[in-house]
């Protein structure tokens, strides 16, 4: 779960950086660096939730598919939810 937390934070922060860059300077170097970082973090969040071997809380995998904030929603659901069978 620490990797999921880190990847979801990187995903959300990089989205904010991209949006702020779009509204203000629209500097291409920022987009060129942060864009792929955001995409990679998004894919890591999805892969972590899809490939989890442990019983996972219902709805976490679907939440992880939401771009930008899906990782944060998945982490929040994992903190609050119970695993199946409890």
């Amino acid at each position: 779960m620490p990797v999921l937390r880190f990847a979801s934070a990187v995903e959300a922060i990089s989205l904010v950086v991209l949006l702020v860059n779009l509204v203000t300077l629209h500097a291409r170097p920022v987009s060129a660096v942060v864009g792929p970082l955001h995409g990679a973090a998004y894919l890591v969040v999805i892969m972590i939730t899809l490939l989890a071997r442990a019983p996972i809380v219902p709805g976490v995998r679907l939440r992880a598919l939401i771009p930008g904030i899906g990782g944060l929603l998945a982490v929040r659901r994992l903190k609050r939810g119970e695993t199946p069978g409890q």
Side-chain angles (χ1 to χ4, degrees), residues 1 4-5 48-49 52 55-58 60-61 63 71-83:
M1 187 143 134
L4 179 60
R5 252 188 240 146
I48 289 171
T49 56
I56 198 157
V57 179
V60 170
R61 290 184 173 116
R63 283 175 175 83
L72 296 174
L73 294 174
V75 169
R76 181 175 174 221
R77 178 68 174 118
L78 284 171
K79 282 183 184 176
R80 290 184 344 154
E82 298 175 357
T83 57

Side-chain angles (χ1 to χ4, degrees), residues 22-76:
L22 181 66
V23 174
T24 58
L25 301 174
H26 196 61
R28 288 184 188 254
V30 173
S31 299
V33 172
V34 179
L37 178 66
H38 173 71
Y42 177 56
L43 291 176
V44 167
V45 167
I46 292 171
M47 295 310 294
I48 289 171
T49 56
L50 289 179
L51 297 176
R53 291 181 185 229
I56 198 157
V57 179
V60 170
R61 290 184 173 116
L62 290 176
R63 283 175 175 83
L65 295 175
I66 302 170
I69 62 167
L72 296 174
L73 294 174
V75 169
R76 181 175 174 221

